[in-house]
PDB file of all heavy atoms in Angstrom:
ATOM      1  N   GLU A 156     -13.786  -0.645 -17.718  1.00 41.00           N
ATOM      2  CA  GLU A 156     -12.419  -0.209 -17.960  1.00 41.00           C
ATOM      3  C   GLU A 156     -12.340   1.268 -18.318  1.00 41.00           C
ATOM      4  O   GLU A 156     -11.273   1.886 -18.246  1.00 41.00           O
ATOM      5  CB  GLU A 156     -11.796  -1.051 -19.084  1.00 41.00           C
ATOM      6  CG  GLU A 156     -11.488  -2.471 -18.629  1.00 41.00           C
ATOM      7  CD  GLU A 156     -11.119  -3.375 -19.793  1.00 41.00           C
ATOM      8  OE1 GLU A 156     -11.134  -2.886 -20.933  1.00 41.00           O
ATOM      9  OE2 GLU A 156     -10.836  -4.546 -19.556  1.00 41.00           O
ATOM     10  N   SER A 157     -13.469   1.878 -18.674  1.00 39.00           N
ATOM     11  CA  SER A 157     -13.454   3.294 -19.017  1.00 39.00           C
ATOM     12  C   SER A 157     -13.504   4.192 -17.793  1.00 39.00           C
ATOM     13  O   SER A 157     -13.395   5.409 -17.918  1.00 39.00           O
ATOM     14  CB  SER A 157     -14.655   3.616 -19.923  1.00 39.00           C
ATOM     15  OG  SER A 157     -15.877   3.471 -19.193  1.00 39.00           O
ATOM     16  N   THR A 158     -13.658   3.615 -16.607  1.00 37.00           N
ATOM     17  CA  THR A 158     -13.684   4.402 -15.382  1.00 37.00           C
ATOM     18  C   THR A 158     -12.374   5.164 -15.238  1.00 37.00           C
ATOM     19  O   THR A 158     -11.301   4.608 -15.331  1.00 37.00           O
ATOM     20  CB  THR A 158     -13.867   3.485 -14.154  1.00 37.00           C
ATOM     21  OG1 THR A 158     -15.074   2.759 -14.330  1.00 37.00           O
ATOM     22  CG2 THR A 158     -13.967   4.309 -12.866  1.00 37.00           C
ATOM     23  N   LYS A 159     -12.431   6.470 -14.980  1.00 34.00           N
ATOM     24  CA  LYS A 159     -11.234   7.314 -14.955  1.00 34.00           C
ATOM     25  C   LYS A 159     -10.362   7.047 -13.744  1.00 34.00           C
ATOM     26  O   LYS A 159      -9.140   7.094 -13.812  1.00 34.00           O
ATOM     27  CB  LYS A 159     -11.643   8.780 -15.007  1.00 34.00           C
ATOM     28  CG  LYS A 159     -12.264   9.192 -16.329  1.00 34.00           C
ATOM     29  CD  LYS A 159     -12.585  10.671 -16.338  1.00 34.00           C
ATOM     30  CE  LYS A 159     -13.185  11.080 -17.673  1.00 34.00           C
ATOM     31  NZ  LYS A 159     -13.520  12.523 -17.697  1.00 34.00           N
ATOM     32  N   THR A 160     -10.969   6.815 -12.597  1.00 37.00           N
ATOM     33  CA  THR A 160     -10.195   6.652 -11.366  1.00 37.00           C
ATOM     34  C   THR A 160     -10.512   5.297 -10.770  1.00 37.00           C
ATOM     35  O   THR A 160     -11.663   4.981 -10.529  1.00 37.00           O
ATOM     36  CB  THR A 160     -10.531   7.750 -10.355  1.00 37.00           C
ATOM     37  OG1 THR A 160     -10.234   9.009 -10.935  1.00 37.00           O
ATOM     38  CG2 THR A 160      -9.719   7.578  -9.085  1.00 37.00           C
ATOM     39  N   PHE A 161      -9.466   4.516 -10.505  1.00 39.00           N
ATOM     40  CA  PHE A 161      -9.644   3.218  -9.876  1.00 39.00           C
ATOM     41  C   PHE A 161      -8.825   3.173  -8.608  1.00 39.00           C
ATOM     42  O   PHE A 161      -7.617   3.427  -8.637  1.00 39.00           O
ATOM     43  CB  PHE A 161      -9.209   2.096 -10.825  1.00 39.00           C
ATOM     44  CG  PHE A 161      -9.550   0.743 -10.310  1.00 39.00           C
ATOM     45  CD1 PHE A 161     -10.831   0.270 -10.395  1.00 39.00           C
ATOM     46  CD2 PHE A 161      -8.597  -0.039  -9.700  1.00 39.00           C
ATOM     47  CE1 PHE A 161     -11.154  -0.982  -9.908  1.00 39.00           C
ATOM     48  CE2 PHE A 161      -8.902  -1.267  -9.203  1.00 39.00           C
ATOM     49  CZ  PHE A 161     -10.192  -1.741  -9.310  1.00 39.00           C
ATOM     50  N   VAL A 162      -9.463   2.893  -7.499  1.00 45.00           N
ATOM     51  CA  VAL A 162      -8.796   2.921  -6.195  1.00 45.00           C
ATOM     52  C   VAL A 162      -8.522   1.507  -5.728  1.00 45.00           C
ATOM     53  O   VAL A 162      -9.397   0.655  -5.777  1.00 45.00           O
ATOM     54  CB  VAL A 162      -9.662   3.648  -5.149  1.00 45.00           C
ATOM     55  CG1 VAL A 162      -8.980   3.625  -3.788  1.00 45.00           C
ATOM     56  CG2 VAL A 162      -9.911   5.083  -5.590  1.00 45.00           C
ATOM     57  N   ILE A 163      -7.289   1.251  -5.284  1.00 43.00           N
ATOM     58  CA  ILE A 163      -6.909  -0.048  -4.763  1.00 43.00           C
ATOM     59  C   ILE A 163      -6.539   0.094  -3.305  1.00 43.00           C
ATOM     60  O   ILE A 163      -5.685   0.907  -2.964  1.00 43.00           O
ATOM     61  CB  ILE A 163      -5.720  -0.637  -5.535  1.00 43.00           C
ATOM     62  CG1 ILE A 163      -6.121  -0.874  -6.988  1.00 43.00           C
ATOM     63  CG2 ILE A 163      -5.261  -1.940  -4.907  1.00 43.00           C
ATOM     64  CD1 ILE A 163      -4.987  -1.376  -7.819  1.00 43.00           C
ATOM     65  N   LYS A 164      -7.160  -0.666  -2.440  1.00 45.00           N
ATOM     66  CA  LYS A 164      -6.811  -0.659  -1.027  1.00 45.00           C
ATOM     67  C   LYS A 164      -6.383  -2.052  -0.607  1.00 45.00           C
ATOM     68  O   LYS A 164      -6.866  -3.057  -1.131  1.00 45.00           O
ATOM     69  CB  LYS A 164      -8.006  -0.230  -0.165  1.00 45.00           C
ATOM     70  CG  LYS A 164      -8.363   1.244  -0.335  1.00 45.00           C
ATOM     71  CD  LYS A 164      -9.418   1.645   0.663  1.00 45.00           C
ATOM     72  CE  LYS A 164      -9.747   3.116   0.561  1.00 45.00           C
ATOM     73  NZ  LYS A 164     -10.761   3.534   1.545  1.00 45.00           N
ATOM     74  N   ARG A 165      -5.515  -2.108   0.377  1.00 41.00           N
ATOM     75  CA  ARG A 165      -5.041  -3.391   0.864  1.00 41.00           C
ATOM     76  C   ARG A 165      -6.191  -4.253   1.343  1.00 41.00           C
ATOM     77  O   ARG A 165      -6.201  -5.457   1.166  1.00 41.00           O
ATOM     78  CB  ARG A 165      -4.066  -3.169   2.023  1.00 41.00           C
ATOM     79  CG  ARG A 165      -3.466  -4.456   2.560  1.00 41.00           C
ATOM     80  CD  ARG A 165      -2.751  -4.226   3.853  1.00 41.00           C
ATOM     81  NE  ARG A 165      -3.686  -3.878   4.895  1.00 41.00           N
ATOM     82  CZ  ARG A 165      -3.357  -3.739   6.156  1.00 41.00           C
ATOM     83  NH1 ARG A 165      -2.121  -3.868   6.520  1.00 41.00           N
ATOM     84  NH2 ARG A 165      -4.255  -3.435   7.059  1.00 41.00           N
ATOM     85  N   VAL A 166      -7.210  -3.650   1.965  1.00 39.00           N
ATOM     86  CA  VAL A 166      -8.292  -4.435   2.543  1.00 39.00           C
ATOM     87  C   VAL A 166      -9.152  -5.099   1.486  1.00 39.00           C
ATOM     88  O   VAL A 166     -10.076  -5.826   1.814  1.00 39.00           O
ATOM     89  CB  VAL A 166      -9.179  -3.561   3.445  1.00 39.00           C
ATOM     90  CG1 VAL A 166      -8.405  -3.097   4.666  1.00 39.00           C
ATOM     91  CG2 VAL A 166      -9.719  -2.355   2.690  1.00 39.00           C
ATOM     92  N   TRP A 167      -8.877  -4.858   0.199  1.00 39.00           N
ATOM     93  CA  TRP A 167      -9.650  -5.497  -0.860  1.00 39.00           C
ATOM     94  C   TRP A 167      -9.087  -6.867  -1.224  1.00 39.00           C
ATOM     95  O   TRP A 167      -9.408  -7.401  -2.269  1.00 39.00           O
ATOM     96  CB  TRP A 167      -9.646  -4.630  -2.115  1.00 39.00           C
ATOM     97  CG  TRP A 167     -10.482  -3.408  -2.006  1.00 39.00           C
ATOM     98  CD1 TRP A 167     -10.945  -2.808  -0.877  1.00 39.00           C
ATOM     99  CD2 TRP A 167     -10.950  -2.606  -3.086  1.00 39.00           C
ATOM    100  NE1 TRP A 167     -11.645  -1.693  -1.176  1.00 39.00           N
ATOM    101  CE2 TRP A 167     -11.670  -1.531  -2.518  1.00 39.00           C
ATOM    102  CE3 TRP A 167     -10.824  -2.683  -4.462  1.00 39.00           C
ATOM    103  CZ2 TRP A 167     -12.264  -0.561  -3.291  1.00 39.00           C
ATOM    104  CZ3 TRP A 167     -11.412  -1.707  -5.226  1.00 39.00           C
ATOM    105  CH2 TRP A 167     -12.135  -0.659  -4.651  1.00 39.00           C
ATOM    106  N   TYR A 168      -8.271  -7.459  -0.393  1.00 38.00           N
ATOM    107  CA  TYR A 168      -7.593  -8.693  -0.790  1.00 38.00           C
ATOM    108  C   TYR A 168      -8.563  -9.802  -1.146  1.00 38.00           C
ATOM    109  O   TYR A 168      -8.274 -10.665  -1.956  1.00 38.00           O
ATOM    110  CB  TYR A 168      -6.658  -9.175   0.319  1.00 38.00           C
ATOM    111  CG  TYR A 168      -7.337  -9.653   1.568  1.00 38.00           C
ATOM    112  CD1 TYR A 168      -7.567 -11.000   1.792  1.00 38.00           C
ATOM    113  CD2 TYR A 168      -7.771  -8.736   2.515  1.00 38.00           C
ATOM    114  CE1 TYR A 168      -8.207 -11.429   2.932  1.00 38.00           C
ATOM    115  CE2 TYR A 168      -8.406  -9.170   3.663  1.00 38.00           C
ATOM    116  CZ  TYR A 168      -8.621 -10.505   3.865  1.00 38.00           C
ATOM    117  OH  TYR A 168      -9.260 -10.939   5.003  1.00 38.00           O
ATOM    118  N   LYS A 169      -9.779  -9.797  -0.548  1.00 37.00           N
ATOM    119  CA  LYS A 169     -10.755 -10.827  -0.840  1.00 37.00           C
ATOM    120  C   LYS A 169     -11.278 -10.723  -2.265  1.00 37.00           C
ATOM    121  O   LYS A 169     -11.811 -11.666  -2.814  1.00 37.00           O
ATOM    122  CB  LYS A 169     -11.931 -10.729   0.128  1.00 37.00           C
ATOM    123  CG  LYS A 169     -11.598 -11.093   1.561  1.00 37.00           C
ATOM    124  CD  LYS A 169     -12.832 -11.043   2.425  1.00 37.00           C
ATOM    125  CE  LYS A 169     -12.518 -11.408   3.865  1.00 37.00           C
ATOM    126  NZ  LYS A 169     -13.715 -11.332   4.733  1.00 37.00           N
ATOM    127  N   TYR A 170     -11.127  -9.528  -2.867  1.00 40.00           N
ATOM    128  CA  TYR A 170     -11.721  -9.289  -4.163  1.00 40.00           C
ATOM    129  C   TYR A 170     -10.677  -9.171  -5.260  1.00 40.00           C
ATOM    130  O   TYR A 170     -10.918  -8.585  -6.313  1.00 40.00           O
ATOM    131  CB  TYR A 170     -12.572  -8.023  -4.101  1.00 40.00           C
ATOM    132  CG  TYR A 170     -13.416  -7.990  -2.856  1.00 40.00           C
ATOM    133  CD1 TYR A 170     -13.087  -7.128  -1.822  1.00 40.00           C
ATOM    134  CD2 TYR A 170     -14.483  -8.855  -2.698  1.00 40.00           C
ATOM    135  CE1 TYR A 170     -13.831  -7.123  -0.651  1.00 40.00           C
ATOM    136  CE2 TYR A 170     -15.224  -8.849  -1.534  1.00 40.00           C
ATOM    137  CZ  TYR A 170     -14.908  -7.988  -0.520  1.00 40.00           C
ATOM    138  OH  TYR A 170     -15.618  -7.977   0.636  1.00 40.00           O
ATOM    139  N   ALA A 171      -9.489  -9.739  -5.024  1.00 41.00           N
ATOM    140  CA  ALA A 171      -8.397  -9.567  -5.975  1.00 41.00           C
ATOM    141  C   ALA A 171      -8.751 -10.114  -7.357  1.00 41.00           C
ATOM    142  O   ALA A 171      -8.387  -9.535  -8.363  1.00 41.00           O
ATOM    143  CB  ALA A 171      -7.138 -10.262  -5.449  1.00 41.00           C
ATOM    144  N   ALA A 172      -9.467 -11.238  -7.412  1.00 38.00           N
ATOM    145  CA  ALA A 172      -9.812 -11.824  -8.705  1.00 38.00           C
ATOM    146  C   ALA A 172     -10.710 -10.897  -9.500  1.00 38.00           C
ATOM    147  O   ALA A 172     -10.509 -10.682 -10.702  1.00 38.00           O
ATOM    148  CB  ALA A 172     -10.506 -13.174  -8.490  1.00 38.00           C
ATOM    149  N   ALA A 173     -11.707 -10.308  -8.824  1.00 39.00           N
ATOM    150  CA  ALA A 173     -12.608  -9.389  -9.508  1.00 39.00           C
ATOM    151  C   ALA A 173     -11.885  -8.126  -9.919  1.00 39.00           C
ATOM    152  O   ALA A 173     -12.127  -7.579 -10.985  1.00 39.00           O
ATOM    153  CB  ALA A 173     -13.795  -9.034  -8.603  1.00 39.00           C
ATOM    154  N   VAL A 174     -10.962  -7.658  -9.077  1.00 41.00           N
ATOM    155  CA  VAL A 174     -10.176  -6.465  -9.406  1.00 41.00           C
ATOM    156  C   VAL A 174      -9.367  -6.720 -10.667  1.00 41.00           C
ATOM    157  O   VAL A 174      -9.310  -5.896 -11.565  1.00 41.00           O
ATOM    158  CB  VAL A 174      -9.255  -6.082  -8.234  1.00 41.00           C
ATOM    159  CG1 VAL A 174      -8.265  -5.019  -8.669  1.00 41.00           C
ATOM    160  CG2 VAL A 174     -10.077  -5.584  -7.047  1.00 41.00           C
ATOM    161  N   ALA A 175      -8.730  -7.896 -10.727  1.00 38.00           N
ATOM    162  CA  ALA A 175      -7.923  -8.226 -11.906  1.00 38.00           C
ATOM    163  C   ALA A 175      -8.791  -8.264 -13.155  1.00 38.00           C
ATOM    164  O   ALA A 175      -8.353  -7.850 -14.234  1.00 38.00           O
ATOM    165  CB  ALA A 175      -7.229  -9.575 -11.703  1.00 38.00           C
ATOM    166  N   MET A 176     -10.051  -8.742 -13.007  1.00 37.00           N
ATOM    167  CA  MET A 176     -10.942  -8.802 -14.155  1.00 37.00           C
ATOM    168  C   MET A 176     -11.287  -7.403 -14.643  1.00 37.00           C
ATOM    169  O   MET A 176     -11.334  -7.136 -15.835  1.00 37.00           O
ATOM    170  CB  MET A 176     -12.225  -9.562 -13.785  1.00 37.00           C
ATOM    171  CG  MET A 176     -13.182  -9.737 -14.966  1.00 37.00           C
ATOM    172  SD  MET A 176     -14.683 -10.592 -14.474  1.00 37.00           S
ATOM    173  CE  MET A 176     -14.026 -12.186 -14.028  1.00 37.00           C
ATOM    174  N   ILE A 177     -11.524  -6.472 -13.686  1.00 37.00           N
ATOM    175  CA  ILE A 177     -11.900  -5.119 -14.048  1.00 37.00           C
ATOM    176  C   ILE A 177     -10.732  -4.393 -14.700  1.00 37.00           C
ATOM    177  O   ILE A 177     -10.865  -3.714 -15.706  1.00 37.00           O
ATOM    178  CB  ILE A 177     -12.384  -4.336 -12.809  1.00 37.00           C
ATOM    179  CG1 ILE A 177     -13.699  -4.952 -12.308  1.00 37.00           C
ATOM    180  CG2 ILE A 177     -12.592  -2.868 -13.130  1.00 37.00           C
ATOM    181  CD1 ILE A 177     -14.165  -4.366 -11.008  1.00 37.00           C
ATOM    182  N   ILE A 178      -9.529  -4.515 -14.104  1.00 39.00           N
ATOM    183  CA  ILE A 178      -8.357  -3.841 -14.656  1.00 39.00           C
ATOM    184  C   ILE A 178      -8.015  -4.431 -16.017  1.00 39.00           C
ATOM    185  O   ILE A 178      -7.596  -3.738 -16.916  1.00 39.00           O
ATOM    186  CB  ILE A 178      -7.159  -3.990 -13.706  1.00 39.00           C
ATOM    187  CG1 ILE A 178      -7.469  -3.283 -12.394  1.00 39.00           C
ATOM    188  CG2 ILE A 178      -5.901  -3.365 -14.311  1.00 39.00           C
ATOM    189  CD1 ILE A 178      -6.394  -3.461 -11.360  1.00 39.00           C
ATOM    190  N   GLY A 179      -8.211  -5.750 -16.149  1.00 36.00           N
ATOM    191  CA  GLY A 179      -8.144  -6.423 -17.430  1.00 36.00           C
ATOM    192  C   GLY A 179      -6.794  -6.449 -18.084  1.00 36.00           C
ATOM    193  O   GLY A 179      -5.916  -7.184 -17.653  1.00 36.00           O
TER     194      GLY A 179
END
Side-chain angles (χ1 to χ4, degrees):
E156 287 169 359
S157 67
T158 302
K159 292 183 179 179
T160 301
F161 188 78
V162 178
I163 297 177
K164 290 187 177 181
R165 183 192 68 174
V166 294
W167 288 18
Y168 68 98
K169 291 183 180 179
Y170 316 107
V174 169
M176 183 182 295
I177 294 173
I178 296 176

